[in-house]
Amino acid sequence: MNSIAVVGGGLAGRLIALQLARSGCRVSLYEQGPRSGAGAAAYVAAAMLAPLAEAAEATPEVVALGYQSLPLWRALLPTLPQPVFMQENGSLIVWHAQDKALADRFVRHLHRAHAGKAPLAQWRGAEMAAQEPQLAGRFAEGLFLPGEGQLDNRQVLNALAAALEAEGVACHWQTAAEPAQLKDADWCVDCRGIGAKSAWGSAGGSRLRGVRGEVARVYAPEVSLRRPVRLLHPRYPLYIAPKENHLFVIGATQLESESTAPVSVRSSLELMSALYAVSPAFGEAQIVELAANLRPTLNHHNPEIRYRPAARLVEVNGLFRHGFMIAPAVSAAAVRLVLALAGGGAVPAGDAESGLPYLVQT
């Protein structure tokens, strides 16, 4: 039985550790944060599964990974020992009348990414009122993107922790570790995200950087939305992800900053103003949390899986802001590489199922 140490117990680390354990490996997981996942990028996330919407800006590789991951989530969640909220009601894109040009550009980007055949529908008037009653009269039209979904990020992290423990994984919560320290393991998988920045260096500096994301969680018993809503806006684009029990996760686009400071007054005002513009009913919502974290991002905005044979190390990083959307496909590809390396067989240049290359490092 192969012994595998996984360093970093965020979303990718937990998924990889669980798949390895279920493949018959003896697995140890080391995570400097708590079992809840607080401190990990995945803990501050909307957990939207939206490859069609993300195609407007994401790379083709990321979009493909997103589509691959949707059925993987459907297959995984029923096997976990705790329930996880998953919704697949599509997503809705809205904009104010003065921002129609942004919507036209968004549609062009989607059609370009899908060879002119982006599967979207235009909602107007009566259909908007029937599908999202609380947005009736607020927006003259919107774009419905079918097949998209979302998860409850913190339920996922907790359910994965419970599954790891049930599978006999030695979970070392609140235990920082470096891959080089874990010499007793046959192989080590480094999933530390931005915590591994120094390991992704080059002559010109690290290829890995943190991109700041800011998120609000609000409780709004007067608001009901049936699906995630994205507001196109020239200055304050945002998304609203409705979770269970009238809890909403609200976020905006990424900020090119590695600051881990709390959310500023200015940022919170902009975020809340945009939220209120979507529906004044949010004016009475209770702010449960304002949080910020760094998403690990490589220079090409794609994830990478690389391995160092001499160090018996596999490194997985660069999931950027698409963690929940692409993590199942990326982690499955990493597990296939680890099993091939641990088995002593020939290692392919890339993963046939995901299309991700396996990058060899000396």
Side-chain angles (χ1 to χ4, degrees):
M1 180 186 295
N2 291 303
S3 171
I4 313 294
V6 178
V7 183
L11 178 62
R14 295 182 194 212
L15 286 170
I16 289 170
L18 181 59
Q19 292 172 74
L20 287 170
R22 289 179 171 177
S23 298
C25 298
R26 186 172 68 256
V27 182
S28 299
L29 177 71
Y30 296 84
E31 165 55 36
Q32 67 177 357
R35 183 183 186 276
S36 67
Y43 193 78
V44 181
M48 293 192 296
L49 313 177
L52 176 54
E54 289 298 318
E57 295 184 3
T59 68
E61 294 82 0
V62 164
V63 174
L65 291 167
Y67 280 118
Q68 293 168 29
S69 293
L70 277 167
L72 295 177
W73 276 122
R74 293 189 206 109
L76 172 65
L77 295 185
T79 73
L80 301 181
Q82 296 177 3
V84 171
F85 168 75
M86 182 176 182
Q87 181 190 73
E88 292 184 271
N89 292 344
S91 57
L92 178 63
I93 314 299
V94 297
W95 58 90
H96 299 296
Q98 65 269 26
D99 298 323
K100 181 66 164 62
L102 292 177
D104 293 339
R105 185 164 67 243
F106 182 82
V107 171
R108 288 196 300 271
H109 286 326
L110 293 191
H111 282 309
R112 184 173 64 245
H114 291 80
K117 298 179 180 180
L120 50 85
Q122 193 162 30
W123 286 355
R124 292 188 175 90
E127 193 163 19
M128 282 280 287
Q131 296 292 340
E132 293 291 357
Q134 290 200 289
L135 299 184
R138 301 293 304 169
F139 302 97
E141 56 185 330
L143 293 172
F144 174 62
L145 280 53
E148 302 201 319
Q150 61 160 328
L151 299 161
D152 186 299
N153 61 319
R154 297 180 183 179
Q155 289 180 5
V156 170
L157 292 171
N158 281 321
L160 286 172
L164 291 169
E165 292 158 358
E167 294 288 344
V169 173
C171 296
H172 302 278
W173 308 116
Q174 296 182 302
T175 304
E178 293 283 339
Q181 299 172 337
L182 306 174
K183 300 184 183 300
D184 291 339
D186 296 324
W187 281 85
C188 182
V189 186
D190 187 349
C191 301
R192 291 176 295 162
I194 196 63
K197 183 176 181 178
S198 62
W200 290 78
S202 65
S206 179
R207 297 176 51 236
L208 184 71
R209 72 186 192 280
V211 175
R212 180 179 170 93
E214 298 177 339
V215 168
R217 298 170 74 88
V218 305
Y219 172 64
E222 303 300 320
V223 181
S224 293
L225 295 175
R226 297 172 180 172
R227 54 188 55 81
V229 175
R230 293 179 184 241
L231 172 68
L232 300 180
H233 190 281
R235 287 190 61 194
Y236 314 129
L238 87 163
Y239 53 78
I240 306 169
K243 308 303 181 183
E244 293 179 302
N245 303 316
H246 296 281
L247 183 68
F248 297 83
V249 177
I250 299 98
T253 54
Q254 66 269 10
L255 303 173
E256 284 293 344
S257 168
E258 290 196 323
S259 169
T260 57
V263 179
S264 69
V265 170
R266 177 178 177 177
S267 290
S268 61
L269 284 173
E270 292 176 350
L271 198 63
M272 296 305 165
S273 296
L275 177 63
Y276 184 81
V278 172
S279 174
F282 278 111
E284 300 303 316
Q286 300 170 21
I287 299 175
V288 177
E289 179 182 314
L290 287 170
N293 210 321
L294 300 180
R295 284 82 67 89
T297 308
L298 291 163
N299 49 2
H300 46 50
H301 288 182
N302 285 325
E304 281 190 14
I305 301 173
R306 66 184 189 182
Y307 64 104
R308 302 173 182 268
R312 305 181 76 78
L313 173 66
V314 172
E315 297 167 292
V316 182
N317 219 316
L319 275 69
F320 189 23
R321 71 180 190 193
H322 311 295
F324 279 89
M325 190 179 88
I326 67 175
V330 174
S331 63
V335 167
R336 287 189 284 270
L337 173 61
V338 173
L339 294 176
L341 290 166
V347 177
D351 183 66
E353 294 187 37
S354 70
L356 282 168
Y358 292 143
L359 305 175
V360 186
Q361 303 290 312
T362 57

Coordinates of all heavy atoms in Angstrom, one line a residue, residues 167-204:
E167 N -12.8 7.6 6.0 CA -11.9 6.7 5.2 C -10.6 6.4 5.8 O -9.8 5.7 5.3 CB -11.6 7.4 3.8 CG -12.9 7.5 2.9 CD -13.4 6.2 2.3 OE1 -12.6 5.3 2.4 OE2 -14.5 6.2 1.9
G168 N -10.4 6.9 7.1 CA -9.2 6.5 7.8 C -8.0 7.4 7.4 O -6.8 7.1 7.8
V169 N -8.2 8.5 6.8 CA -7.1 9.5 6.5 C -6.6 10.1 7.8 O -7.5 10.5 8.6 CB -7.6 10.5 5.5 CG1 -6.5 11.6 5.3 CG2 -7.9 9.9 4.2
A170 N -5.3 10.1 8.0 CA -4.8 10.8 9.2 C -4.8 12.3 9.0 O -3.9 12.8 8.3 CB -3.4 10.3 9.5
C171 N -5.8 13.0 9.5 CA -5.9 14.4 9.3 C -5.2 15.2 10.4 O -5.7 15.1 11.5 CB -7.4 14.7 9.2 SG -8.3 14.0 7.8
H172 N -4.2 15.9 10.0 CA -3.5 16.7 11.0 C -3.9 18.2 10.8 O -3.3 19.0 10.1 CB -2.0 16.6 10.7 CG -1.5 15.2 10.8 ND1 -1.2 14.5 12.0 CD2 -1.3 14.2 9.9 CE1 -0.8 13.3 11.8 NE2 -0.9 13.1 10.5
W173 N -5.0 18.6 11.4 CA -5.5 19.9 11.3 C -4.7 20.8 12.2 O -4.1 20.4 13.1 CB -7.0 20.0 11.8 CG -7.9 19.1 11.1 CD1 -8.6 18.1 11.7 CD2 -8.3 19.0 9.7 NE1 -9.4 17.4 10.8 CE2 -9.2 17.9 9.6 CE3 -7.9 19.7 8.6 CZ2 -9.7 17.6 8.3 CZ3 -8.4 19.4 7.4 CH2 -9.4 18.3 7.2
Q174 N -4.6 22.1 11.8 CA -3.8 23.1 12.4 C -2.3 22.7 12.6 O -1.7 22.9 13.7 CB -4.4 23.5 13.8 CG -5.8 24.1 13.6 CD -6.5 24.5 14.9 OE1 -6.7 23.7 15.8 NE2 -6.8 25.8 15.0
T175 N -1.8 22.0 11.5 CA -0.5 21.5 11.5 C 0.2 22.0 10.2 O -0.1 21.4 9.2 CB -0.4 20.0 11.7 OG1 -1.1 19.6 12.8 CG2 1.0 19.5 11.7
A176 N 1.1 23.0 10.3 CA 1.8 23.4 9.1 C 2.9 22.4 8.8 O 3.5 21.8 9.7 CB 2.4 24.8 9.4
A177 N 3.1 22.2 7.5 CA 4.2 21.2 7.1 C 4.7 21.6 5.8 O 4.1 22.3 5.0 CB 3.6 19.8 7.1
E178 N 6.0 21.3 5.6 CA 6.7 21.5 4.3 C 6.8 20.1 3.6 O 7.1 19.1 4.3 CB 8.0 22.1 4.5 CG 8.0 23.6 4.9 CD 7.6 24.5 3.8 OE1 7.7 24.2 2.7 OE2 7.1 25.6 4.2
P179 N 6.6 20.0 2.3 CA 6.8 18.7 1.7 C 8.1 18.0 2.0 O 8.2 16.8 2.2 CB 6.7 19.0 0.2 CG 5.8 20.2 0.2 CD 6.2 21.0 1.4
A180 N 9.2 18.8 2.1 CA 10.5 18.2 2.3 C 10.6 17.6 3.7 O 11.5 16.7 3.9 CB 11.6 19.3 2.1
Q181 N 9.8 17.9 4.6 CA 9.8 17.4 6.0 C 9.2 16.0 6.0 O 9.5 15.2 7.0 CB 9.0 18.3 6.9 CG 9.6 19.7 7.1 CD 8.7 20.6 7.9 OE1 7.5 20.3 8.0 NE2 9.3 21.6 8.5
L182 N 8.4 15.6 5.1 CA 7.6 14.4 5.1 C 8.2 13.3 4.4 O 7.8 12.7 3.4 CB 6.2 14.7 4.6 CG 5.5 15.9 5.2 CD1 4.1 16.2 4.5 CD2 5.2 15.6 6.7
K183 N 9.4 12.9 4.9 CA 10.2 11.9 4.2 C 9.7 10.5 4.3 O 10.2 9.6 3.6 CB 11.7 12.0 4.7 CG 12.3 13.4 4.5 CD 13.8 13.4 4.9 CE 14.4 14.8 4.7 NZ 14.3 15.3 3.4
D184 N 8.8 10.2 5.3 CA 8.3 8.9 5.5 C 7.3 8.5 4.4 O 7.1 7.3 4.2 CB 7.7 8.7 6.9 CG 8.7 8.8 8.0 OD1 9.9 8.6 7.7 OD2 8.3 9.1 9.1
A185 N 6.7 9.4 3.7 CA 5.7 9.1 2.7 C 6.4 8.7 1.4 O 7.5 9.2 1.1 CB 4.9 10.3 2.5
D186 N 5.8 7.8 0.7 CA 6.3 7.4 -0.6 C 6.3 8.6 -1.6 O 7.2 8.8 -2.4 CB 5.5 6.2 -1.2 CG 5.6 5.0 -0.4 OD1 6.7 4.8 0.2 OD2 4.6 4.3 -0.2
W187 N 5.2 9.3 -1.6 CA 5.0 10.5 -2.4 C 4.3 11.6 -1.6 O 3.5 11.3 -0.7 CB 4.2 10.2 -3.7 CG 5.1 9.5 -4.8 CD1 5.3 8.2 -4.9 CD2 5.8 10.2 -5.8 NE1 6.1 8.0 -5.9 CE2 6.4 9.1 -6.5 CE3 5.9 11.5 -6.2 CZ2 7.2 9.4 -7.7 CZ3 6.7 11.8 -7.3 CH2 7.4 10.7 -8.0
C188 N 4.5 12.9 -2.0 CA 3.9 14.0 -1.3 C 3.2 14.8 -2.4 O 3.7 15.0 -3.5 CB 4.9 14.8 -0.6 SG 4.2 16.2 0.3
V189 N 2.0 15.3 -2.1 CA 1.2 16.2 -3.0 C 1.1 17.5 -2.3 O 0.6 17.6 -1.2 CB -0.2 15.6 -3.3 CG1 -0.9 16.5 -4.3 CG2 -0.1 14.2 -3.8
D190 N 1.6 18.6 -3.0 CA 1.6 19.9 -2.4 C 0.4 20.7 -3.0 O 0.3 21.0 -4.2 CB 2.9 20.6 -2.8 CG 3.0 22.0 -2.1 OD1 2.0 22.5 -1.5 OD2 4.1 22.6 -2.1
C191 N -0.6 21.0 -2.1 CA -1.8 21.7 -2.5 C -2.0 23.0 -1.7 O -3.1 23.3 -1.3 CB -3.1 20.8 -2.3 SG -3.0 19.3 -3.2
R192 N -0.9 23.6 -1.3 CA -1.0 24.8 -0.4 C -1.4 26.1 -1.0 O -1.5 27.1 -0.3 CB 0.4 24.9 0.3 CG 0.8 23.8 1.2 CD 2.2 24.1 1.8 NE 3.2 24.0 0.7 CZ 4.4 24.4 0.8 NH1 4.8 25.1 1.9 NH2 5.3 24.3 -0.2
G193 N -1.7 26.1 -2.3 CA -2.2 27.3 -2.9 C -1.1 28.4 -2.8 O 0.1 28.2 -3.0
I194 N -1.5 29.6 -2.3 CA -0.6 30.7 -2.2 C 0.5 30.5 -1.2 O 1.5 31.1 -1.2 CB -1.4 32.0 -1.9 CG1 -0.5 33.3 -2.2 CG2 -1.9 32.0 -0.5 CD1 -0.1 33.4 -3.6
G195 N 0.2 29.5 -0.3 CA 1.2 29.2 0.7 C 2.4 28.5 0.1 O 3.5 28.4 0.7
A196 N 2.3 28.1 -1.2 CA 3.5 27.5 -1.9 C 4.2 28.5 -2.8 O 4.9 28.0 -3.7 CB 3.0 26.2 -2.6
K197 N 4.0 29.7 -2.6 CA 4.4 30.7 -3.6 C 5.9 30.6 -3.8 O 6.4 30.7 -5.0 CB 4.1 32.1 -3.1 CG 4.5 33.2 -4.1 CD 4.0 34.6 -3.6 CE 4.4 35.7 -4.6 NZ 4.0 37.0 -4.2
S198 N 6.7 30.4 -2.8 CA 8.2 30.3 -3.0 C 8.6 29.1 -3.8 O 9.7 29.2 -4.4 CB 8.9 30.3 -1.6 OG 8.5 29.1 -0.9
A199 N 7.8 28.1 -3.8 CA 8.1 26.9 -4.6 C 7.9 27.1 -6.1 O 8.3 26.2 -6.9 CB 7.4 25.7 -4.1
W200 N 7.2 28.1 -6.5 CA 6.8 28.4 -7.9 C 7.6 29.6 -8.4 O 7.2 30.3 -9.2 CB 5.3 28.6 -8.0 CG 4.5 27.4 -7.7 CD1 4.2 26.8 -6.5 CD2 4.0 26.5 -8.7 NE1 3.5 25.7 -6.7 CE2 3.3 25.5 -8.0 CE3 3.9 26.5 -10.1 CZ2 2.7 24.4 -8.7 CZ3 3.3 25.5 -10.8 CH2 2.6 24.5 -10.1
G201 N 8.9 29.7 -8.0 CA 9.7 30.8 -8.4 C 10.3 30.6 -9.7 O 10.3 29.5 -10.3
S202 N 10.9 31.6 -10.3 CA 11.6 31.6 -11.5 C 12.7 32.7 -11.5 O 12.7 33.4 -10.5 CB 10.7 31.8 -12.7 OG 10.2 33.1 -12.7
A203 N 13.4 32.8 -12.5 CA 14.5 33.9 -12.5 C 13.9 35.3 -12.3 O 14.5 36.1 -11.7 CB 15.3 33.8 -13.8
G204 N 12.7 35.5 -12.8 CA 12.1 36.8 -12.7 C 11.1 36.9 -11.5 O 10.4 37.9 -11.4

